[in-house]
Amino acid sequence: MITIERITKDNFSESSLDGYVRTHHVTRVWRRVNGEYALVEQPYTEDWSAQRKREVARRIMGSDMTAFAAFDGGRVVGFVSLEKALVGGRMILDMMHVSAEYRGGGTGRRLFEQARAEALAAGARELYISACSSEETAA
């Protein structure tokens, strides 16, 4: 059973993402073509090295972030991080990722709803989100 928990020093460390599968195979991306948005073939694979996973873990544990993780047992299978400081009534959703084998099962939706609730509780009127333009991410 997947649980969503606030990231703390008691349940998360810089090695918590070591088993996380960041691999994302992209085939098509949204681009502006002749004044309209269209899906364009642009295949690539995004993945994180062990070093990058540790950098991300340290970032989301930082004092300027509020973060939540999805745990399956003791394993992190997704996370969302928010910058604590409000900017013009907006809270910035810094990162949101779900491990490859857990995508499509609602974990991302649960993480987003947790981030949304956290932003509202902090007094934010809006969430600012900047995301990859891949077909899957936009969907």
Side-chain angles (χ1 to χ4, degrees):
M1 180 175 149
I2 296 173
T3 60
I4 308 293
E5 300 175 30
R6 183 180 300 272
I7 289 176
T8 69
K9 62 181 170 55
D10 295 324
N11 66 7
F12 196 88
S13 71
E14 88 170 24
S15 63
S16 290
L17 297 179
D18 287 359
Y20 180 82
V21 181
R22 174 59 184 100
T23 306
H24 183 117
H25 302 289
V26 174
T27 304
R28 301 188 312 170
V29 295
W30 288 97
R31 294 291 183 261
R32 199 159 172 96
V33 178
N34 299 323
E36 305 221 2
Y37 285 101
L39 284 169
V40 176
E41 296 287 325
Q42 189 174 337
Y44 67 92
T45 299
E46 186 174 348
D47 204 352
W48 287 349
S49 66
Q51 177 182 349
R52 176 70 175 137
K53 290 176 187 178
R54 297 251 172 138
E55 289 169 2
V56 168
R58 285 190 298 272
R59 177 176 171 80
I60 64 179
M61 290 169 48
S63 61
D64 58 338
M65 295 289 179
T66 296
F68 297 87
F71 292 93
D72 188 356
R75 181 172 172 232
V76 174
V77 299
F79 62 91
V80 63
S81 63
L82 300 154
E83 292 186 11
K84 287 181 181 177
L86 295 181
V87 179
R90 293 181 190 95
M91 185 169 267
I92 296 172
L93 192 150
D94 181 60
M95 284 189 256
M96 188 174 101
H97 297 283
V98 176
S99 194
E101 69 277 27
Y102 285 83
R103 293 179 194 147
T107 301
R109 180 175 305 278
R110 290 178 61 202
L111 286 165
F112 180 80
E113 287 303 322
Q114 185 65 56
R116 182 179 166 278
E118 183 69 18
L120 286 171
R125 295 185 323 269
E126 300 173 343
L127 272 176
Y128 175 83
I129 303 169
S130 178
C132 170
S133 62
S134 73
E135 180 176 18
E136 300 84 4
T137 300

